[in-house]
Structure formats: C-alpha cells, structure tokens
Amino acid sequence: MSVELNHTIVHARDDEESARFLAHILGLEVGPRTGRFLPVVTANGVALDFAVTTAEPIATQHYAFLVSDEEFDAAFARIRQAGITFYADPHGRLPGEINHNHGGRGLYFLDPSGHGMEILTRPYGNNG
C-alpha cells in the first residue's frame, strides 16, 4: 500500500461554523459528526476533521486546496459574495488581489478560527 494522507484535525472555536464555512467556499459537504469530529472530505479522500478546542490562542495552520479553474471561479465568487478579505500572498500584504504563480491562479483567506486557507489552480513548481 502506498502512503496517503487520510485525515487531519483542524482545531476550531466553533467546529460547525468552521466546517460549514470551508465546505461552502469549496463547494463541498459537511459529513456526519463522528464523536467530536465534524469532517469535510476533499475529492482525493482526505478528511479535514474539525474539532472544538479551548486552547487560546488556536495554533494557526495553513491548508492549501488544489482546484480546477472552474472550481476556482466558483470559490472566488463565493468569497467575494460573502465579503471575505482575500490576498494574493500568504502574509496578507496584497489584499483584494489574486496571484498567478506557477502558471495558474491562487489566493489566501482566513477561516473563522484564523487558519490560513489557500486555493490554487496549479501545484507549486508547475511552470506552465
């Protein structure tokens, strides 16, 4: 069996709010709760298991999602419609812009718990 990432835990102040937020932006579904986890599963089967934490502050993580051009357009439209601040860079220095890195398009935004989310249409290192 080859090694695959199966799931990761995403700490949140409100797991339902965070899971629904990400699922909405990406056009995915929130799965049924399993114990303390609320999953959002990507097309390649990786689950982001949202879980409430009382830790303050929440350790910020970065999650990048490779999407098709059509999925990018749809997610970008949902981001703009919701009035979510987005950036062309991970440091938030280029607000209201997207990037064209690696021959595609990408942007960054924060989820309700402060995690850095990224959508991109070409993987890093792809020059066209």
Side-chain angles (χ1 to χ4, degrees):
M1 171 184 232
S2 61
V3 177
E4 296 180 357
L5 180 63
N6 177 265
H7 69 277
T8 189
I9 297 172
V10 182
H11 289 137
R13 288 181 184 83
D14 180 330
D15 59 351
E16 199 162 313
E17 176 189 32
S18 291
R20 291 191 190 292
F21 172 85
L22 184 63
H24 171 70
I25 295 299
L26 297 179
L28 300 172
E29 298 289 327
V30 176
R33 183 175 295 280
T34 303
R36 64 180 285 239
F37 303 111
L38 195 57
V40 174
V41 180
T42 63
N44 61 339
V46 176
L48 288 95
D49 289 334
F50 288 84
V52 172
T53 184
T54 57
E56 285 296 331
I58 292 177
T60 302
Q61 299 295 318
H62 173 80
Y63 299 92
F65 301 93
L66 183 62
V67 298
S68 69
D69 286 310
E70 295 78 17
E71 290 165 329
F72 183 93
D73 291 339
F76 189 32
R78 289 188 286 269
I79 288 168
R80 287 185 306 205
Q81 184 178 27
I84 298 166
T85 302
F86 61 92
Y87 307 89
D89 66 303
H91 306 292
R93 295 185 192 124
L94 300 169
E97 299 180 35
I98 66 170
N99 67 59
H100 297 278
N101 299 340
H102 314 286
R105 295 178 291 161
L107 64 82
Y108 301 81
F109 59 99
L110 297 177
D111 87 334
S113 292
H115 295 296
M117 301 292 174
E118 177 184 6
I119 56 173
L120 65 157
T121 60
R122 300 294 180 275
Y124 292 168
N126 182 8
N127 295 319

